[in-house]
Amino acid sequence: MHKSKLLLALLLALLSATVGVAYRLHGVVTPEAEDIKTSFAGNGESTTIDTLHVLLVGVDETEGSHRADTIAVAKIDIDRKMVKLLSLPRDTRVRVPEHGWQKINHAYAYGGVELLEETVVNYLGIPIERYIVLNYTTFPELVDMVGGVDITVKKRLHYVDRAGDLYIDIPEGKQHLDGETALEYVRFRNDAMGDIGRVERQQKLVMALLAKLKRPGMLPKLPTIAKKTIDMLDTDLTVTQAVQLASYLKDLSLNEINFATLPGNPAYISGVSYWLGDLNAASKFLTASGDSDIPGDEDPEAEESYASRTDEPTIPEEQAERLLQEIRSPIAVLNGDGTKGLGRKTATALQKLGIDVAHIGNAKHYDYHFSNIYFPPEEQQAIKGTANSLGNLCGIEKGLVRSGDQAAYVQLIVGHDYERILSRLGGIHIDND
């Protein structure tokens, strides 16, 4: 059975909330701010530091893979006891030393945490004093040890991959998640938000875990949870430093942890999907002295939608249902017009009809007068069937649905006729229940 990828690196705050309490039970004295500053200055020097940057990495090593599934940087303001955590989508395009332009998670595969750390330092322009690497294989057990968590799911998360033996189906609304379901919740990425949506769900689940750990009834379980957490970690923190820092931050409240995801835009470069980060916004978030939210894209559901347009003739409901059933493979949506947010709007319209959108990005140019659909050459019949049915659903001429060497899977490139496409999709009303 296919084992799951898992949650993000167990945030330093989580380490503090568990390990800190456990060690206090054994008589460890809580240090002062100056003790922390001196301890992390390094090499016995008399100098001190005011902030500490920790690289957090969640590693997926299931089925022989060795990759950084989640990457984040925690900035700890020692005097103010404030933590800022910036998540870096694994598709972020960076220059990896001696390997050129790559996705950031490739740095770990090429050279482990050392190369990943060097890559992050060069990319963000900040020092990294320590790292914590979490192997995800025991994450479900951790969630079960706290009795699961309550999460409000914004929309139904549904994905089936029979070849990979993966079945995700989490209903919309308030849900109580056990370990395995929590893993599915943070693993899901088959929507218009892709990896960005997955990172947001990871952060949401971590907040739920922190809140659960702070309940009085959890105190007897904390030593066991702490031991399990320690067993999962690979870090260059010394035991003394880990105890000091964890004890120092043990009373950290949720209001003192500021989460953010690297803002940016999806892109499709030389046949590869990337996330192009906004480094100016990231820098402002990390260097601001007070609480600050990172600037990012607006909620796609809050944007003006073309779904209300009715000037495009709709197709009969029965025909639409048949076409939707024939679209069995995830698709990509690329912006071939240049209008800001067009890929996202189109992906949202398709998702409302139950179509899996695995990727959104930009086409190689913005001069597509008409929308096109490409599918990989020499692919199985089901892929070609998905492309043809998608073309019929969107009202794209048969001559514009064709194979292309650049296509990794079925691609809808939305051109200058996007208003007609969105109007047509918006006029389709299907009950997905």
Side-chain angles (χ1 to χ4, degrees):
M1 179 176 181
H2 188 287
K3 293 185 179 180
S4 316
K5 305 176 191 170
L6 310 174
L7 184 64
L8 67 116
L10 228 173
L11 310 178
L12 189 60
L14 179 56
L15 178 64
S16 304
T18 56
V19 182
V21 174
Y23 274 108
R24 272 197 79 192
L25 295 175
H26 291 83
V28 176
V29 178
T30 302
E32 300 294 332
E34 292 305 317
D35 298 321
I36 299 294
K37 293 180 180 181
T38 302
S39 178
F40 285 92
N43 300 324
E45 299 173 2
S46 59
T47 57
T48 62
I49 60 174
D50 295 320
T51 58
L52 176 65
H53 300 85
V54 181
L55 176 65
L56 306 169
V57 187
V59 177
D60 173 16
E61 293 185 342
T62 60
E63 297 190 350
S65 64
H66 186 71
R67 57 184 177 228
D69 196 59
T70 305
I71 303 165
V73 174
K75 177 185 177 182
I76 304 169
D77 186 320
I78 298 173
D79 286 319
R80 300 177 68 238
K81 289 190 179 182
M82 296 285 294
V83 175
K84 290 187 176 183
L85 189 133
L86 179 65
S87 296
L88 305 176
R90 62 183 184 178
D91 290 345
T92 301
R93 190 171 187 260
V94 300
R95 187 178 290 278
V96 178
E98 299 185 8
H99 294 277
W101 290 103
Q102 302 281 346
K103 294 183 179 183
I104 193 169
N105 68 334
H106 290 179
Y108 187 87
Y110 290 138
V113 68
E114 291 80 10
L115 183 59
L116 177 59
E117 180 177 317
E118 182 181 357
T119 301
V120 172
V121 168
N122 293 342
Y123 183 66
L124 293 178
I126 60 172
I128 297 292
E129 284 83 19
R130 296 293 185 274
Y131 66 80
I132 296 175
V133 180
L134 169 71
N135 191 317
Y136 288 145
T137 54
T138 55
F139 168 71
E141 185 178 345
L142 275 176
V143 176
D144 288 334
M145 278 194 294
V146 304
V149 293
D150 294 325
I151 292 285
T152 299
V153 181
K154 289 184 178 180
K155 59 183 179 181
R156 180 189 179 195
L157 305 180
H158 182 255
Y159 178 69
V160 176
D161 178 5
R162 292 183 176 84
D165 198 17
L166 173 63
Y167 302 87
I168 297 176
D169 192 2
I170 304 176
E172 179 182 357
K174 188 173 182 179
Q175 307 294 332
H176 181 77
L177 308 183
D178 62 12
E180 289 297 334
T181 309
L183 176 58
E184 294 173 354
Y185 175 75
V186 296
R187 185 183 183 193
F188 183 86
R189 59 177 291 177
N190 292 86
D191 60 11
M193 296 301 290
D195 195 41
I196 301 302
R198 190 175 69 108
V199 169
E200 291 176 355
R201 284 186 288 275
Q202 291 172 347
Q203 294 176 351
K204 188 175 180 180
L205 189 124
V206 167
M207 294 296 283
L209 277 171
L210 289 172
K212 188 71 175 285
L213 285 166
K214 288 184 176 294
R215 294 181 182 179
M218 292 303 302
L219 183 60
K221 297 182 180 181
L222 288 177
T224 301
I225 297 173
K227 183 179 184 303
K228 190 67 177 180
T229 302
I230 293 172
D231 291 342
M232 293 173 65
L233 299 178
D234 172 24
T235 178
D236 60 352
L237 287 165
T238 66
V239 174
T240 299
Q241 288 173 335
V243 173
Q244 283 182 319
L245 189 59
S247 298
Y248 184 67
L249 297 176
K250 70 183 185 305
D251 296 323
L252 200 69
S253 72
L254 299 184
N255 293 331
E256 293 164 327
I257 306 174
N258 196 5
F259 290 87
T261 301
L262 176 69
N265 296 287
Y268 202 69
I269 301 173
S270 299
V272 180
S273 61
Y274 291 101
W275 181 256
L276 303 184
D278 184 341
L279 291 177
N280 288 331
S283 178
K284 289 179 181 178
F285 169 74
L286 290 171
T287 58
S289 58
D291 298 340
S292 60
D293 292 328
I294 201 162
D297 294 330
E298 298 179 3
D299 185 341
E301 295 182 1
E303 296 183 34
E304 179 183 1
S305 172
Y306 284 91
S308 61
R309 295 178 60 93
T310 58
D311 53 340
E312 168 68 15
T314 59
I315 59 178
E317 181 175 336
E318 192 171 297
Q319 180 185 359
E321 288 181 345
R322 177 179 58 79
L323 292 172
L324 288 170
Q325 290 176 357
E326 294 171 353
I327 301 175
R328 302 173 182 175
S329 305
I331 70 168
V333 176
L334 304 181
N335 186 344
D337 169 81
T339 298
K340 185 177 180 180
L342 177 58
R344 178 183 297 172
K345 291 177 181 178
T346 306
T348 299
L350 291 167
Q351 283 186 292
K352 288 180 178 179
L353 298 175
I355 298 175
D356 284 337
V357 179
H359 170 73
I360 55 175
N362 296 320
K364 291 184 177 181
H365 60 80
Y366 292 141
D367 197 27
Y368 283 87
H369 293 281
F370 299 99
S371 297
N372 285 251
I373 292 178
Y374 289 96
F375 57 89
E378 300 179 359
E379 275 290 350
Q380 55 184 329
Q381 192 65 29
I383 300 294
K384 185 176 180 180
T386 291
N388 289 329
S389 296
L390 180 63
N392 289 331
L393 193 74
C394 296
I396 297 174
E397 294 184 10
K398 291 184 178 180
L400 298 180
V401 180
R402 54 200 187 278
S403 65
D405 292 333
Q406 79 278 21
Y409 36 78
V410 176
Q411 297 176 350
L412 168 61
I413 301 178
V414 188
H416 299 331
D417 60 342
Y418 67 89
E419 291 190 359
R420 180 186 64 80
I421 300 292
L422 290 169
S423 176
R424 182 180 176 92
L425 294 174
I428 300 174
H429 301 286
I430 298 294
D431 185 2
N432 288 319
D433 295 334

